[in-house]
Structure formats: C-alpha cells, structure tokens
Amino acid sequence: MVIEEIVTNIKDMKKEEVENYHIEKVYLESADLMKRIQRVKTDHGKEIGIRLKNPRDLVAGDVLYKDDKNLIIIDVLADDLLIISPRSLNEMGVIAHQLGNRHLPAQFEENDMLVQYDYLVEELLQELQIPFKREERKVREAFRHIGHSHG
C-alpha cells in the first residue's frame, strides 16, 4: 500500500466516530514527520509506503488510511526535551535570543518553550538561572530548522 495523501486528522473526527474503528498506528520519530517519502510499518506489522503528492509535514494524528472498519494513524515517539519556563518577558527574551543565535528550533506550549535536549543549552539555562526541566514528551509536529545564513 502506498499513501499519497492524508485522509484527515483524528482530532478533526468525532470521538463517537473514531470509537467504531479498529486503529493501527505508525510510530515515527519527530524528525521523520518532515519526510514526504518513506517506508514505515504499523504496530500490527503492516508495511506501508508514504509518498505524499503535496509537500507537507506529517502531524501526530494524521490518518493515512480509512475504510469502513480500519484507521491507520500517525503517532509520534517521545523526544528528549528541555522544557523552559521563563518567569518574565525579560527571561524569555534572553533565552530566545541565545537559542536563536544557535539556530535551535523551538516549539511553544502555553508559557513553555520546548527544545530538543542539548547539554550546552542545559548548562546555559543553569548559568542564566532560567527555570527548566528535562522530560521525555511527545510533540505534535517536527522541530523544523529555519534556513538562514550569516552572509
């Protein structure tokens, strides 16, 4: 089976509707969410090719396949993250500037900044005394590096 487009996302389906399906999951690392072409295997051992026609990242909950009884959806493996919780706008500005200089991609959930674990960033946060914790957590989308050069 080759998947060329995403059917929907499970969050856009009604809960009662989802309960009527047998669900298989494809577990991906967050970095694999950016790959348009890949071969994957469901948690039931079914091999699937993904070759998306439209250039877009996969997102947790994307439905790859749907028939009368079955759904195959994307799930994401947990990443090793630093969850940064600045106490003020000043702390957010300082750490955002520091991480921006390192070209580290970040995601935001409410008042927290999430970055993939890096021991140098951990040392920086300790030095700046900005509150953080290290945690294994699933993210919905890939950490995307933004192309930039200092030319």
PDB file of all heavy atoms in Angstrom, residues 12-45:
ATOM      1  N   ASP A  12      -9.881  15.930  14.030  1.00  0.00           N
ATOM      2  CA  ASP A  12     -10.998  16.510  13.287  1.00  0.00           C
ATOM      3  C   ASP A  12     -12.180  15.547  13.146  1.00  0.00           C
ATOM      4  O   ASP A  12     -13.182  15.886  12.516  1.00  0.00           O
ATOM      5  CB  ASP A  12     -10.526  16.953  11.900  1.00  0.00           C
ATOM      6  CG  ASP A  12      -9.470  18.042  11.974  1.00  0.00           C
ATOM      7  OD1 ASP A  12      -9.532  18.866  12.915  1.00  0.00           O
ATOM      8  OD2 ASP A  12      -8.573  18.062  11.112  1.00  0.00           O
ATOM      9  N   MET A  13     -12.036  14.352  13.712  1.00  0.00           N
ATOM     10  CA  MET A  13     -13.116  13.361  13.682  1.00  0.00           C
ATOM     11  C   MET A  13     -13.845  13.375  15.024  1.00  0.00           C
ATOM     12  O   MET A  13     -13.237  13.667  16.060  1.00  0.00           O
ATOM     13  CB  MET A  13     -12.547  11.963  13.411  1.00  0.00           C
ATOM     14  CG  MET A  13     -11.876  11.832  12.058  1.00  0.00           C
ATOM     15  SD  MET A  13     -11.040  10.229  11.827  1.00  0.00           S
ATOM     16  CE  MET A  13     -12.444   9.118  11.768  1.00  0.00           C
ATOM     17  N   LYS A  14     -15.118  13.046  15.011  1.00  0.00           N
ATOM     18  CA  LYS A  14     -15.886  12.969  16.248  1.00  0.00           C
ATOM     19  C   LYS A  14     -15.452  11.745  17.043  1.00  0.00           C
ATOM     20  O   LYS A  14     -15.181  10.686  16.475  1.00  0.00           O
ATOM     21  CB  LYS A  14     -17.373  12.892  15.930  1.00  0.00           C
ATOM     22  CG  LYS A  14     -17.913  14.151  15.314  1.00  0.00           C
ATOM     23  CD  LYS A  14     -19.397  14.035  15.052  1.00  0.00           C
ATOM     24  CE  LYS A  14     -19.897  15.362  14.520  1.00  0.00           C
ATOM     25  NZ  LYS A  14     -20.769  15.228  13.385  1.00  0.00           N
ATOM     26  N   LYS A  15     -15.409  11.906  18.361  1.00  0.00           N
ATOM     27  CA  LYS A  15     -14.974  10.824  19.240  1.00  0.00           C
ATOM     28  C   LYS A  15     -15.803   9.554  19.018  1.00  0.00           C
ATOM     29  O   LYS A  15     -15.263   8.456  18.944  1.00  0.00           O
ATOM     30  CB  LYS A  15     -15.053  11.276  20.701  1.00  0.00           C
ATOM     31  CG  LYS A  15     -14.527  10.277  21.681  1.00  0.00           C
ATOM     32  CD  LYS A  15     -14.620  10.782  23.103  1.00  0.00           C
ATOM     33  CE  LYS A  15     -14.119   9.724  24.069  1.00  0.00           C
ATOM     34  NZ  LYS A  15     -14.254  10.125  25.454  1.00  0.00           N
ATOM     35  N   GLU A  16     -17.125   9.720  18.885  1.00  0.00           N
ATOM     36  CA  GLU A  16     -18.003   8.573  18.685  1.00  0.00           C
ATOM     37  C   GLU A  16     -17.673   7.865  17.363  1.00  0.00           C
ATOM     38  O   GLU A  16     -17.781   6.658  17.253  1.00  0.00           O
ATOM     39  CB  GLU A  16     -19.488   8.989  18.644  1.00  0.00           C
ATOM     40  CG  GLU A  16     -19.956   9.917  19.737  1.00  0.00           C
ATOM     41  CD  GLU A  16     -19.617  11.386  19.478  1.00  0.00           C
ATOM     42  OE1 GLU A  16     -20.020  11.972  18.460  1.00  0.00           O
ATOM     43  OE2 GLU A  16     -18.928  11.957  20.339  1.00  0.00           O
ATOM     44  N   GLU A  17     -17.295   8.645  16.368  1.00  0.00           N
ATOM     45  CA  GLU A  17     -16.948   8.075  15.063  1.00  0.00           C
ATOM     46  C   GLU A  17     -15.662   7.245  15.166  1.00  0.00           C
ATOM     47  O   GLU A  17     -15.599   6.128  14.658  1.00  0.00           O
ATOM     48  CB  GLU A  17     -16.766   9.214  14.048  1.00  0.00           C
ATOM     49  CG  GLU A  17     -16.454   8.765  12.646  1.00  0.00           C
ATOM     50  CD  GLU A  17     -16.153   9.922  11.708  1.00  0.00           C
ATOM     51  OE1 GLU A  17     -16.173  11.091  12.127  1.00  0.00           O
ATOM     52  OE2 GLU A  17     -15.883   9.634  10.531  1.00  0.00           O
ATOM     53  N   VAL A  18     -14.674   7.761  15.856  1.00  0.00           N
ATOM     54  CA  VAL A  18     -13.380   7.080  15.999  1.00  0.00           C
ATOM     55  C   VAL A  18     -13.534   5.757  16.740  1.00  0.00           C
ATOM     56  O   VAL A  18     -12.885   4.769  16.412  1.00  0.00           O
ATOM     57  CB  VAL A  18     -12.357   8.002  16.714  1.00  0.00           C
ATOM     58  CG1 VAL A  18     -11.078   7.256  17.040  1.00  0.00           C
ATOM     59  CG2 VAL A  18     -12.059   9.236  15.877  1.00  0.00           C
ATOM     60  N   GLU A  19     -14.414   5.724  17.730  1.00  0.00           N
ATOM     61  CA  GLU A  19     -14.610   4.519  18.540  1.00  0.00           C
ATOM     62  C   GLU A  19     -15.102   3.323  17.728  1.00  0.00           C
ATOM     63  O   GLU A  19     -14.966   2.190  18.157  1.00  0.00           O
ATOM     64  CB  GLU A  19     -15.584   4.819  19.684  1.00  0.00           C
ATOM     65  CG  GLU A  19     -15.001   5.742  20.728  1.00  0.00           C
ATOM     66  CD  GLU A  19     -16.023   6.203  21.762  1.00  0.00           C
ATOM     67  OE1 GLU A  19     -17.223   5.894  21.616  1.00  0.00           O
ATOM     68  OE2 GLU A  19     -15.607   6.894  22.714  1.00  0.00           O
ATOM     69  N   ASN A  20     -15.662   3.570  16.544  1.00  0.00           N
ATOM     70  CA  ASN A  20     -16.187   2.492  15.699  1.00  0.00           C
ATOM     71  C   ASN A  20     -15.112   1.833  14.838  1.00  0.00           C
ATOM     72  O   ASN A  20     -15.403   0.880  14.125  1.00  0.00           O
ATOM     73  CB  ASN A  20     -17.307   3.022  14.796  1.00  0.00           C
ATOM     74  CG  ASN A  20     -18.520   3.444  15.598  1.00  0.00           C
ATOM     75  OD1 ASN A  20     -18.858   2.817  16.602  1.00  0.00           O
ATOM     76  ND2 ASN A  20     -19.172   4.509  15.167  1.00  0.00           N
ATOM     77  N   TYR A  21     -13.883   2.335  14.880  1.00  0.00           N
ATOM     78  CA  TYR A  21     -12.814   1.834  14.021  1.00  0.00           C
ATOM     79  C   TYR A  21     -11.800   0.993  14.783  1.00  0.00           C
ATOM     80  O   TYR A  21     -11.548   1.221  15.964  1.00  0.00           O
ATOM     81  CB  TYR A  21     -12.067   3.005  13.367  1.00  0.00           C
ATOM     82  CG  TYR A  21     -12.841   3.695  12.283  1.00  0.00           C
ATOM     83  CD1 TYR A  21     -13.607   4.814  12.566  1.00  0.00           C
ATOM     84  CD2 TYR A  21     -12.808   3.224  10.977  1.00  0.00           C
ATOM     85  CE1 TYR A  21     -14.322   5.464  11.569  1.00  0.00           C
ATOM     86  CE2 TYR A  21     -13.521   3.863   9.977  1.00  0.00           C
ATOM     87  CZ  TYR A  21     -14.272   4.976  10.284  1.00  0.00           C
ATOM     88  OH  TYR A  21     -14.978   5.601   9.291  1.00  0.00           O
ATOM     89  N   HIS A  22     -11.205   0.062  14.067  1.00  0.00           N
ATOM     90  CA  HIS A  22     -10.010  -0.639  14.545  1.00  0.00           C
ATOM     91  C   HIS A  22      -8.844   0.276  14.160  1.00  0.00           C
ATOM     92  O   HIS A  22      -8.725   0.674  12.997  1.00  0.00           O
ATOM     93  CB  HIS A  22      -9.886  -2.008  13.866  1.00  0.00           C
ATOM     94  CG  HIS A  22      -8.566  -2.654  14.127  1.00  0.00           C
ATOM     95  ND1 HIS A  22      -7.526  -2.588  13.229  1.00  0.00           N
ATOM     96  CD2 HIS A  22      -8.115  -3.353  15.197  1.00  0.00           C
ATOM     97  CE1 HIS A  22      -6.492  -3.233  13.731  1.00  0.00           C
ATOM     98  NE2 HIS A  22      -6.824  -3.702  14.920  1.00  0.00           N
ATOM     99  N   ILE A  23      -7.991   0.619  15.117  1.00  0.00           N
ATOM    100  CA  ILE A  23      -6.923   1.585  14.856  1.00  0.00           C
ATOM    101  C   ILE A  23      -5.562   0.905  14.870  1.00  0.00           C
ATOM    102  O   ILE A  23      -5.215   0.196  15.807  1.00  0.00           O
ATOM    103  CB  ILE A  23      -6.947   2.727  15.893  1.00  0.00           C
ATOM    104  CG1 ILE A  23      -8.261   3.513  15.751  1.00  0.00           C
ATOM    105  CG2 ILE A  23      -5.739   3.644  15.725  1.00  0.00           C
ATOM    106  CD1 ILE A  23      -8.448   4.600  16.784  1.00  0.00           C
ATOM    107  N   GLU A  24      -4.806   1.142  13.808  1.00  0.00           N
ATOM    108  CA  GLU A  24      -3.397   0.761  13.739  1.00  0.00           C
ATOM    109  C   GLU A  24      -2.603   2.059  13.759  1.00  0.00           C
ATOM    110  O   GLU A  24      -3.036   3.067  13.211  1.00  0.00           O
ATOM    111  CB  GLU A  24      -3.083  -0.003  12.449  1.00  0.00           C
ATOM    112  CG  GLU A  24      -3.641  -1.397  12.411  1.00  0.00           C
ATOM    113  CD  GLU A  24      -3.192  -2.146  11.164  1.00  0.00           C
ATOM    114  OE1 GLU A  24      -1.970  -2.275  10.946  1.00  0.00           O
ATOM    115  OE2 GLU A  24      -4.071  -2.595  10.413  1.00  0.00           O
ATOM    116  N   LYS A  25      -1.430   2.001  14.374  1.00  0.00           N
ATOM    117  CA  LYS A  25      -0.597   3.200  14.464  1.00  0.00           C
ATOM    118  C   LYS A  25       0.749   2.981  13.797  1.00  0.00           C
ATOM    119  O   LYS A  25       1.305   1.889  13.834  1.00  0.00           O
ATOM    120  CB  LYS A  25      -0.376   3.599  15.926  1.00  0.00           C
ATOM    121  CG  LYS A  25      -1.638   4.082  16.604  1.00  0.00           C
ATOM    122  CD  LYS A  25      -1.351   4.579  18.002  1.00  0.00           C
ATOM    123  CE  LYS A  25      -2.621   5.130  18.626  1.00  0.00           C
ATOM    124  NZ  LYS A  25      -2.359   5.699  19.953  1.00  0.00           N
ATOM    125  N   VAL A  26       1.246   4.060  13.212  1.00  0.00           N
ATOM    126  CA  VAL A  26       2.604   4.125  12.696  1.00  0.00           C
ATOM    127  C   VAL A  26       3.340   5.066  13.639  1.00  0.00           C
ATOM    128  O   VAL A  26       2.984   6.244  13.748  1.00  0.00           O
ATOM    129  CB  VAL A  26       2.650   4.672  11.253  1.00  0.00           C
ATOM    130  CG1 VAL A  26       4.078   4.922  10.818  1.00  0.00           C
ATOM    131  CG2 VAL A  26       1.938   3.721  10.302  1.00  0.00           C
ATOM    132  N   TYR A  27       4.349   4.538  14.365  1.00  0.00           N
ATOM    133  CA  TYR A  27       5.121   5.358  15.297  1.00  0.00           C
ATOM    134  C   TYR A  27       6.342   5.924  14.586  1.00  0.00           C
ATOM    135  O   TYR A  27       7.141   5.170  14.023  1.00  0.00           O
ATOM    136  CB  TYR A  27       5.555   4.531  16.511  1.00  0.00           C
ATOM    137  CG  TYR A  27       4.395   4.164  17.402  1.00  0.00           C
ATOM    138  CD1 TYR A  27       3.756   2.935  17.283  1.00  0.00           C
ATOM    139  CD2 TYR A  27       3.936   5.067  18.362  1.00  0.00           C
ATOM    140  CE1 TYR A  27       2.688   2.605  18.099  1.00  0.00           C
ATOM    141  CE2 TYR A  27       2.858   4.738  19.181  1.00  0.00           C
ATOM    142  CZ  TYR A  27       2.249   3.509  19.038  1.00  0.00           C
ATOM    143  OH  TYR A  27       1.180   3.194  19.840  1.00  0.00           O
ATOM    144  N   LEU A  28       6.473   7.254  14.610  1.00  0.00           N
ATOM    145  CA  LEU A  28       7.596   7.927  13.968  1.00  0.00           C
ATOM    146  C   LEU A  28       8.340   8.788  14.970  1.00  0.00           C
ATOM    147  O   LEU A  28       7.748   9.316  15.918  1.00  0.00           O
ATOM    148  CB  LEU A  28       7.092   8.842  12.837  1.00  0.00           C
ATOM    149  CG  LEU A  28       6.379   8.201  11.662  1.00  0.00           C
ATOM    150  CD1 LEU A  28       5.903   9.278  10.700  1.00  0.00           C
ATOM    151  CD2 LEU A  28       7.287   7.206  10.947  1.00  0.00           C
ATOM    152  N   GLU A  29       9.639   8.950  14.733  1.00  0.00           N
ATOM    153  CA  GLU A  29      10.391   9.950  15.479  1.00  0.00           C
ATOM    154  C   GLU A  29       9.997  11.309  14.916  1.00  0.00           C
ATOM    155  O   GLU A  29       9.631  11.424  13.738  1.00  0.00           O
ATOM    156  CB  GLU A  29      11.890   9.712  15.315  1.00  0.00           C
ATOM    157  CG  GLU A  29      12.337   8.433  15.998  1.00  0.00           C
ATOM    158  CD  GLU A  29      13.842   8.242  15.971  1.00  0.00           C
ATOM    159  OE1 GLU A  29      14.568   9.201  15.626  1.00  0.00           O
ATOM    160  OE2 GLU A  29      14.283   7.136  16.305  1.00  0.00           O
ATOM    161  N   SER A  30      10.074  12.354  15.734  1.00  0.00           N
ATOM    162  CA  SER A  30       9.623  13.672  15.289  1.00  0.00           C
ATOM    163  C   SER A  30      10.352  14.128  14.024  1.00  0.00           C
ATOM    164  O   SER A  30       9.753  14.757  13.156  1.00  0.00           O
ATOM    165  CB  SER A  30       9.756  14.711  16.405  1.00  0.00           C
ATOM    166  OG  SER A  30      11.104  14.873  16.786  1.00  0.00           O
ATOM    167  N   ALA A  31      11.618  13.773  13.870  1.00  0.00           N
ATOM    168  CA  ALA A  31      12.371  14.178  12.671  1.00  0.00           C
ATOM    169  C   ALA A  31      11.799  13.530  11.407  1.00  0.00           C
ATOM    170  O   ALA A  31      11.878  14.106  10.311  1.00  0.00           O
ATOM    171  CB  ALA A  31      13.850  13.812  12.821  1.00  0.00           C
ATOM    172  N   ASP A  32      11.192  12.351  11.540  1.00  0.00           N
ATOM    173  CA  ASP A  32      10.624  11.661  10.372  1.00  0.00           C
ATOM    174  C   ASP A  32       9.312  12.284   9.903  1.00  0.00           C
ATOM    175  O   ASP A  32       8.830  11.963   8.823  1.00  0.00           O
ATOM    176  CB  ASP A  32      10.408  10.175  10.684  1.00  0.00           C
ATOM    177  CG  ASP A  32      11.721   9.427  10.832  1.00  0.00           C
ATOM    178  OD1 ASP A  32      12.733   9.876  10.252  1.00  0.00           O
ATOM    179  OD2 ASP A  32      11.739   8.400  11.535  1.00  0.00           O
ATOM    180  N   LEU A  33       8.736  13.164  10.701  1.00  0.00           N
ATOM    181  CA  LEU A  33       7.498  13.835  10.291  1.00  0.00           C
ATOM    182  C   LEU A  33       7.725  14.744   9.082  1.00  0.00           C
ATOM    183  O   LEU A  33       6.789  15.075   8.369  1.00  0.00           O
ATOM    184  CB  LEU A  33       6.917  14.651  11.453  1.00  0.00           C
ATOM    185  CG  LEU A  33       6.441  13.855  12.662  1.00  0.00           C
ATOM    186  CD1 LEU A  33       6.087  14.793  13.812  1.00  0.00           C
ATOM    187  CD2 LEU A  33       5.265  12.960  12.312  1.00  0.00           C
ATOM    188  N   MET A  34       8.973  15.134   8.837  1.00  0.00           N
ATOM    189  CA  MET A  34       9.288  16.021   7.711  1.00  0.00           C
ATOM    190  C   MET A  34       9.530  15.271   6.402  1.00  0.00           C
ATOM    191  O   MET A  34       9.650  15.883   5.355  1.00  0.00           O
ATOM    192  CB  MET A  34      10.531  16.868   8.041  1.00  0.00           C
ATOM    193  CG  MET A  34      10.298  17.854   9.152  1.00  0.00           C
ATOM    194  SD  MET A  34      11.706  18.936   9.420  1.00  0.00           S
ATOM    195  CE  MET A  34      12.830  17.845  10.265  1.00  0.00           C
ATOM    196  N   LYS A  35       9.600  13.952   6.468  1.00  0.00           N
ATOM    197  CA  LYS A  35       9.906  13.164   5.272  1.00  0.00           C
ATOM    198  C   LYS A  35       8.642  12.897   4.464  1.00  0.00           C
ATOM    199  O   LYS A  35       7.703  12.282   4.959  1.00  0.00           O
ATOM    200  CB  LYS A  35      10.557  11.831   5.659  1.00  0.00           C
ATOM    201  CG  LYS A  35      11.894  11.978   6.328  1.00  0.00           C
ATOM    202  CD  LYS A  35      12.438  10.608   6.689  1.00  0.00           C
ATOM    203  CE  LYS A  35      13.787  10.700   7.372  1.00  0.00           C
ATOM    204  NZ  LYS A  35      14.250   9.373   7.793  1.00  0.00           N
ATOM    205  N   ARG A  36       8.629  13.328   3.218  1.00  0.00           N
ATOM    206  CA  ARG A  36       7.474  13.086   2.337  1.00  0.00           C
ATOM    207  C   ARG A  36       7.467  11.673   1.780  1.00  0.00           C
ATOM    208  O   ARG A  36       6.430  11.151   1.413  1.00  0.00           O
ATOM    209  CB  ARG A  36       7.499  14.051   1.153  1.00  0.00           C
ATOM    210  CG  ARG A  36       6.945  15.398   1.443  1.00  0.00           C
ATOM    211  CD  ARG A  36       6.882  16.225   0.203  1.00  0.00           C
ATOM    212  NE  ARG A  36       7.334  15.464  -0.960  1.00  0.00           N
ATOM    213  CZ  ARG A  36       7.227  15.836  -2.199  1.00  0.00           C
ATOM    214  NH1 ARG A  36       6.687  16.958  -2.482  1.00  0.00           N
ATOM    215  NH2 ARG A  36       7.670  15.093  -3.183  1.00  0.00           N
ATOM    216  N   ILE A  37       8.649  11.082   1.665  1.00  0.00           N
ATOM    217  CA  ILE A  37       8.772   9.735   1.105  1.00  0.00           C
ATOM    218  C   ILE A  37       9.480   8.860   2.129  1.00  0.00           C
ATOM    219  O   ILE A  37      10.601   9.166   2.544  1.00  0.00           O
ATOM    220  CB  ILE A  37       9.558   9.747  -0.216  1.00  0.00           C
ATOM    221  CG1 ILE A  37       8.846  10.627  -1.239  1.00  0.00           C
ATOM    222  CG2 ILE A  37       9.731   8.332  -0.749  1.00  0.00           C
ATOM    223  CD1 ILE A  37       9.640  10.866  -2.511  1.00  0.00           C
ATOM    224  N   GLN A  38       8.809   7.771   2.532  1.00  0.00           N
ATOM    225  CA  GLN A  38       9.409   6.835   3.478  1.00  0.00           C
ATOM    226  C   GLN A  38       8.615   5.536   3.521  1.00  0.00           C
ATOM    227  O   GLN A  38       7.464   5.485   3.114  1.00  0.00           O
ATOM    228  CB  GLN A  38       9.507   7.448   4.880  1.00  0.00           C
ATOM    229  CG  GLN A  38       8.209   7.933   5.480  1.00  0.00           C
ATOM    230  CD  GLN A  38       8.437   8.665   6.790  1.00  0.00           C
ATOM    231  OE1 GLN A  38       9.118   8.163   7.687  1.00  0.00           O
ATOM    232  NE2 GLN A  38       7.883   9.861   6.912  1.00  0.00           N
ATOM    233  N   ARG A  39       9.265   4.508   3.992  1.00  0.00           N
ATOM    234  CA  ARG A  39       8.617   3.210   4.196  1.00  0.00           C
ATOM    235  C   ARG A  39       8.497   3.028   5.702  1.00  0.00           C
ATOM    236  O   ARG A  39       9.459   3.199   6.441  1.00  0.00           O
ATOM    237  CB  ARG A  39       9.464   2.095   3.589  1.00  0.00           C
ATOM    238  CG  ARG A  39       8.828   0.726   3.734  1.00  0.00           C
ATOM    239  CD  ARG A  39       9.502  -0.323   2.889  1.00  0.00           C
ATOM    240  NE  ARG A  39       9.423  -0.073   1.472  1.00  0.00           N
ATOM    241  CZ  ARG A  39       8.337  -0.261   0.702  1.00  0.00           C
ATOM    242  NH1 ARG A  39       7.227  -0.689   1.252  1.00  0.00           N
ATOM    243  NH2 ARG A  39       8.370  -0.030  -0.588  1.00  0.00           N
ATOM    244  N   VAL A  40       7.277   2.688   6.137  1.00  0.00           N
ATOM    245  CA  VAL A  40       7.000   2.553   7.564  1.00  0.00           C
ATOM    246  C   VAL A  40       6.276   1.242   7.824  1.00  0.00           C
ATOM    247  O   VAL A  40       5.830   0.571   6.902  1.00  0.00           O
ATOM    248  CB  VAL A  40       6.151   3.744   8.080  1.00  0.00           C
ATOM    249  CG1 VAL A  40       6.896   5.055   7.926  1.00  0.00           C
ATOM    250  CG2 VAL A  40       4.805   3.809   7.369  1.00  0.00           C
ATOM    251  N   LYS A  41       6.158   0.903   9.101  1.00  0.00           N
ATOM    252  CA  LYS A  41       5.449  -0.314   9.497  1.00  0.00           C
ATOM    253  C   LYS A  41       4.489   0.036  10.629  1.00  0.00           C
ATOM    254  O   LYS A  41       4.863   0.753  11.553  1.00  0.00           O
ATOM    255  CB  LYS A  41       6.449  -1.373   9.953  1.00  0.00           C
ATOM    256  CG  LYS A  41       5.847  -2.760  10.127  1.00  0.00           C
ATOM    257  CD  LYS A  41       6.892  -3.768  10.567  1.00  0.00           C
ATOM    258  CE  LYS A  41       7.671  -4.258   9.359  1.00  0.00           C
ATOM    259  NZ  LYS A  41       8.504  -5.437   9.649  1.00  0.00           N
ATOM    260  N   THR A  42       3.257  -0.497  10.560  1.00  0.00           N
ATOM    261  CA  THR A  42       2.288  -0.240  11.625  1.00  0.00           C
ATOM    262  C   THR A  42       2.614  -1.094  12.844  1.00  0.00           C
ATOM    263  O   THR A  42       3.418  -2.031  12.764  1.00  0.00           O
ATOM    264  CB  THR A  42       0.839  -0.558  11.180  1.00  0.00           C
ATOM    265  OG1 THR A  42       0.690  -1.972  11.073  1.00  0.00           O
ATOM    266  CG2 THR A  42       0.493   0.122   9.866  1.00  0.00           C
ATOM    267  N   ASP A  43       1.961  -0.792  13.947  1.00  0.00           N
ATOM    268  CA  ASP A  43       2.153  -1.587  15.163  1.00  0.00           C
ATOM    269  C   ASP A  43       1.557  -2.986  15.020  1.00  0.00           C
ATOM    270  O   ASP A  43       1.738  -3.820  15.889  1.00  0.00           O
ATOM    271  CB  ASP A  43       1.583  -0.862  16.384  1.00  0.00           C
ATOM    272  CG  ASP A  43       0.100  -0.546  16.284  1.00  0.00           C
ATOM    273  OD1 ASP A  43      -0.492  -0.695  15.196  1.00  0.00           O
ATOM    274  OD2 ASP A  43      -0.480  -0.120  17.297  1.00  0.00           O
ATOM    275  N   HIS A  44       0.883  -3.256  13.898  1.00  0.00           N
ATOM    276  CA  HIS A  44       0.357  -4.592  13.598  1.00  0.00           C
ATOM    277  C   HIS A  44       1.204  -5.297  12.538  1.00  0.00           C
ATOM    278  O   HIS A  44       0.831  -6.347  12.040  1.00  0.00           O
ATOM    279  CB  HIS A  44      -1.095  -4.500  13.114  1.00  0.00           C
ATOM    280  CG  HIS A  44      -2.074  -4.092  14.173  1.00  0.00           C
ATOM    281  ND1 HIS A  44      -1.856  -3.076  15.071  1.00  0.00           N
ATOM    282  CD2 HIS A  44      -3.294  -4.583  14.483  1.00  0.00           C
ATOM    283  CE1 HIS A  44      -2.889  -2.942  15.856  1.00  0.00           C
ATOM    284  NE2 HIS A  44      -3.782  -3.851  15.531  1.00  0.00           N
ATOM    285  N   GLY A  45       2.346  -4.670  12.154  1.00  0.00           N
ATOM    286  CA  GLY A  45       3.272  -5.304  11.224  1.00  0.00           C
ATOM    287  C   GLY A  45       2.997  -5.059   9.744  1.00  0.00           C
ATOM    288  O   GLY A  45       3.680  -5.619   8.892  1.00  0.00           O
TER     289      GLY A  45
END
